[in-house]
């Protein structure tokens, strides 16, 4: 590997950012997701050799590394690097990792085992930042997991908790339910600008910071692709994934418009297109740092990445980029939707690289007194006391009982926040519909009961996030009170489409 000295106008070290008390990061984090792709082709990297490669980044000031439980042997390699530093050393690198369990019950034992495995791989007594990913919010185990992680943080096994690929509504819900989140790691680039919307607003309101990945779209946001023909035979996972994003915003021609604008700005400032693309993300609201992928053993780009911190974009630059954005279509939905609903913007176009199946939170049983009928039971003691079920399917019709934001069988979720409760309730309703062979698109009526008329707008917005395009018939009622510590209750009816 050839390392080039920084130019006189280039900072000697990358900028730093205080992510949390006692946790200051390099604003350009080194991402290790490509370790999995490298090892897929050539086998596991020797941990000591891998640690030598990481040490080259540390010497140039890039001291913060991002990895995950499924990024090949990235945790083991980083663990060897950490072993070369005293725990109290001022220059000790930071290791941020992710835990991405399959959906299922998140008991204390399950969560502790996931964290302890990360600790064993890293060879540390505490994880600097543990970031949690969840595949489907229809399964409520995600909130149980975050509460268990909070308890492990109190024990000292985790310094800070983050999430990854959370949309604005569920980030808000987690915070409203008392989870002390420091970060949310999401896709954010000139191509994918979803995080600049409602998610940035929620982060700003609660002091949560964004860590941005995909800022270079797997390498597509570089001079190498300016003016080049559209590629069709792509083998590396990262480019396979981000080519789907490019197709979604309008295709290769639309993407070339963005690349051309970034190229003109790069020439103006004497930097690379990749610098411009990354600098744009760094300047966005709530962004603490950008994660730049490393192809370990192949190339090191610290000299070019240092240039990020020697310039900034002016009003003319932003206007040029906005004009290019106007010629594209926005990536639909909110952050993380690419992993939760079609069209899946993943390397394979589905979740086959991640999950063999999506476990369901709700199960069905035959209705004893109604041949062909199905119902869903949750195990709540009130179902037996009062004699009811969560939902019934009769032919093509589904009726969902009044549903509250209850975790497990009795704990009220986010008791002071009606919008957060609405998000949790609608996830439960969608889980019930899925179990009975339906979806939100089949819902034809909802009824919403509020205890405070002042909550009508935030609850309606949460309802609109799910039903904005479906638009079922709806009734919104203010009531004197609900049984229990709840601000909202919702019931639904669906007719399954032929």
């Amino acid at each position: 590997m050839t390392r080039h000295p920084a130019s006189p106008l280039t900072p000697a070290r990358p900028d730093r950012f205080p992510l949390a008390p006692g946790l200051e990061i390099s604003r350009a984090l080194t991402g290790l997701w490509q370790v999995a792709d490298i090892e897929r082709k050539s086998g596991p990297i020797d941990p000591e050799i891998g640690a030598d490669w990481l040490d080259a980044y540390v010497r140039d000031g890039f001291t913060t590394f991002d990895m995950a439980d499924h990024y090949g042997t990235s945790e083991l390699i980083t663990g060897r690097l950490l072993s070369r530093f005293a725990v109290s050393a001022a220059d000790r690198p930071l290791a941020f990792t992710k835990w991405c369990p399959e959906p299922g019950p998140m008991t204390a034992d399950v969560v502790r085992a996931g964290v302890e495995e990360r600790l064993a791989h890293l060879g540390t007594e505490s994880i600097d930042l543990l970031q949690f990913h969840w595949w489907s919010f229809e399964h409520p185990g995600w909130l149980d997991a975050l509460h268990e992680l909070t308890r492990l943080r109190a024990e000292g096994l985790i310094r800070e908790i983050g999430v990854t690929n959370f949309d604005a509504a569920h980030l808000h819900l987690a915070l409203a339910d008392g989870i002390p989140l420091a970060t949310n790691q999401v896709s954010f680039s000139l191509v994918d600008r979803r995080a600049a919307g409602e998610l940035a607003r929620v982060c700003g309101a609660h002091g949560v910071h964004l860590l941005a990945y995909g800022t270079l779209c797997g390498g597509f946001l570089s001079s190498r692709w300016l003016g080049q023909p559209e590629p069709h035979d792509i083998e590396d996972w990262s480019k396979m994934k981000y080519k789907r994003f490019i197709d979604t915003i309008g295709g290769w021609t639309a993407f070339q418009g963005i690349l051309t604008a970034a190229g003109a700005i790069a020439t103006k400032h004497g930097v690379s297109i990749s610098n411009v693309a990354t600098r744009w993300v760094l300047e966005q609201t709530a962004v603490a740092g950008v994660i730049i992928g490393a192809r370990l053993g192949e190339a090191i780009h610290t000299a070019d990445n240092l240039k990020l911190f020697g310039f900034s974009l002016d009003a003319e630059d932003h206007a040029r980029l906005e004009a290019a954005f106007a010629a594209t279509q926005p990536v639909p939905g909110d952050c993380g939707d690419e992993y939760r609903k079609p069209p899946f913007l993943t390397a394979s176009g589905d979740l086959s690289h991640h999950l063999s199946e999506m476990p369901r939170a709700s199960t069905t049983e035959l209705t004893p007194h109604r041949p062909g009928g199905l119902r869903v039971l949750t195990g709540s003691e009130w179902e037996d006391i009062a004699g009811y079920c969560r939902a019934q399917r009769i032919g093509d019709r589904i009726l969902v009982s009044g549903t509250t934001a209850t975790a497990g069988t009795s704990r009220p979720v986010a008791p002071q926040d009606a919008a957060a409760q609405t998000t949790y309730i609608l996830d439960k309703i969608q889980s019930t519909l899925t179990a009975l062979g339906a979806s939100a698109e089949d819902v034809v009526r909802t009824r919403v009961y509020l205890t405070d008329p002042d909550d009508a707008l935030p609850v309606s917005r949460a309802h609109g996030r799910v039903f904005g395009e479906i638009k079922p018939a709806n009734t919104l009622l203010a009531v004197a009170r609900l049984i229990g510590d709840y601000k909202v209750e919702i019931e639904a009816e669906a007719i399954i489409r032929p």
Side-chain angles (χ1 to χ4, degrees):
M1 291 184 292
T2 302
R3 300 175 67 209
H4 303 285
S7 70
L9 298 178
T10 301
R13 313 286 277 182
D15 287 352
R16 311 285 292 178
F17 187 91
L19 195 65
L23 195 65
E24 186 178 81
I25 68 169
S26 163
R27 291 203 73 196
L29 294 81
T30 302
L32 302 181
W33 67 81
Q34 296 191 63
V35 168
D37 196 32
I38 293 169
E39 294 183 331
R40 175 172 66 98
K41 300 172 184 176
S42 57
I45 296 170
D46 180 274
E48 291 295 342
I49 294 175
D52 289 341
W53 290 333
L54 296 188
D55 194 46
Y57 287 88
V58 174
R59 291 196 299 272
D60 283 343
F62 295 87
T63 59
T64 310
F65 297 92
D66 180 80
M67 65 216 73
D69 55 5
H70 60 287
Y71 292 177
T73 63
S74 59
E75 291 178 331
L76 298 174
I77 292 169
T78 305
R80 294 309 305 151
L81 174 71
L82 295 178
S83 71
R84 301 176 181 181
F85 294 80
V87 173
S88 59
D91 60 346
R92 184 176 183 270
L94 295 174
F96 294 175
T97 194
K98 306 179 198 73
W99 181 44
C100 310
E102 292 191 6
M106 291 287 108
T107 65
D109 288 343
V110 168
V111 176
R112 182 177 289 272
V115 171
E116 288 181 344
E117 183 178 57
R118 314 276 69 71
L119 289 167
H121 287 179
L122 292 168
T124 60
E125 294 183 356
S126 182
I127 299 169
D128 294 318
L129 178 71
L130 192 286
Q131 302 163 96
F132 176 72
H133 171 84
W134 195 247
W135 297 102
S136 172
F137 292 121
E138 287 186 18
H139 196 297
W142 69 274
L143 199 51
D144 299 329
L146 285 175
H147 279 285
E148 291 300 332
L149 291 175
T150 300
R151 282 185 269 275
L152 296 179
R153 177 175 179 262
E155 288 185 28
L157 300 185
I158 301 167
R159 292 179 66 184
E160 297 295 339
I161 304 171
V163 290
T164 182
N165 297 315
F166 269 48
D167 58 32
H170 290 88
L171 180 66
H172 172 80
L173 169 53
L175 293 165
D177 204 38
I179 306 300
L181 295 177
T183 61
N184 185 15
Q185 185 180 141
V186 294
S187 171
F188 204 172
S189 69
L190 295 177
V191 169
D192 179 11
R193 302 179 298 280
R194 293 172 296 173
E198 180 66 9
L199 182 60
R201 189 198 67 76
V202 172
C203 288
H206 296 276
V208 176
H209 303 294
L210 292 175
L211 298 177
Y213 70 83
T215 54
L216 298 181
C217 287
F220 279 122
L221 282 166
S222 69
S223 58
R224 174 186 174 187
W225 295 99
L226 180 61
Q228 295 301 305
E230 181 176 4
H232 295 288
D233 297 322
I234 302 172
E235 293 188 359
D236 87 66
W237 286 347
S238 193
K239 284 188 174 61
M240 289 166 63
K241 172 181 176 178
Y242 290 108
K243 179 58 166 58
R244 295 186 189 278
F245 279 79
I246 290 170
D247 293 342
T248 298
I249 68 166
W252 195 249
T253 299
F255 172 67
Q256 285 294 316
I258 293 176
L259 212 53
T260 299
I265 297 168
T267 299
K268 169 182 169 180
H269 291 282
V271 297
S272 68
I273 287 178
S274 296
N275 289 155
V276 171
T278 310
R279 185 71 211 179
W280 181 86
V281 176
L282 273 173
E283 294 181 3
Q284 299 303 304
T285 301
V287 172
V290 294
I291 302 168
I292 303 174
R295 296 287 298 185
L296 296 185
E298 298 180 18
I300 184 169
H301 300 288
T302 55
D304 187 60
N305 292 339
L306 280 171
K307 294 178 183 178
L308 286 171
F309 307 102
F311 79 105
S312 59
L313 302 179
D314 59 28
E316 179 186 53
D317 301 332
H318 283 286
R320 189 187 292 270
L321 289 171
E322 288 295 333
F325 298 158
T328 69
Q329 299 294 320
V331 176
D334 204 342
C335 295
D337 283 355
E338 64 269 31
Y339 291 105
R340 297 191 181 96
K341 61 181 69 173
F344 293 104
L345 301 180
T346 61
S348 59
D350 54 31
L351 295 181
S352 60
H353 284 170
H354 303 284
L355 295 173
S356 58
E357 62 178 350
M358 186 68 74
R360 292 179 177 177
S362 301
T363 57
T364 62
E365 65 177 29
L366 295 174
T367 306
H369 61 280
R370 188 182 295 277
L374 289 174
R375 66 187 183 190
V376 172
L377 296 172
T378 66
S380 166
E381 62 179 4
W382 283 100
E383 289 174 344
D384 288 332
I385 293 172
Y388 75 96
C389 64
R390 172 57 43 215
Q392 286 266 11
R393 175 173 173 175
I394 306 167
D396 293 333
R397 189 182 183 197
I398 297 173
L399 298 98
V400 183
S401 295
T403 304
T404 56
T406 306
T409 59
S410 61
R411 185 181 74 82
V413 171
Q416 303 304 314
D417 195 309
Q421 287 196 347
T422 302
T423 296
Y424 194 84
I425 290 167
L426 294 178
D427 287 342
K428 289 179 69 174
I429 289 174
Q430 290 185 87
S431 172
T432 300
L433 294 172
T434 298
L436 292 170
S439 68
E441 286 77 10
D442 295 308
V443 173
V444 295
R445 170 173 281 283
T446 58
R447 295 180 181 87
V448 182
Y449 304 90
L450 302 176
T451 59
D452 186 347
D454 289 342
D455 288 329
L457 183 57
V459 166
S460 294
R461 285 176 173 158
H463 184 277
R465 182 182 61 82
V466 175
F467 294 113
E469 297 297 323
I470 302 164
K471 291 183 169 55
N474 170 255
T475 303
L476 179 65
L477 299 170
V479 297
R481 63 170 298 178
L482 295 169
I483 304 302
D485 200 3
Y486 301 105
K487 297 173 75 68
V488 189
E489 184 168 339
I490 302 175
E491 57 186 60
E493 297 180 25
I495 299 175
I496 297 177
R497 294 160 293 171

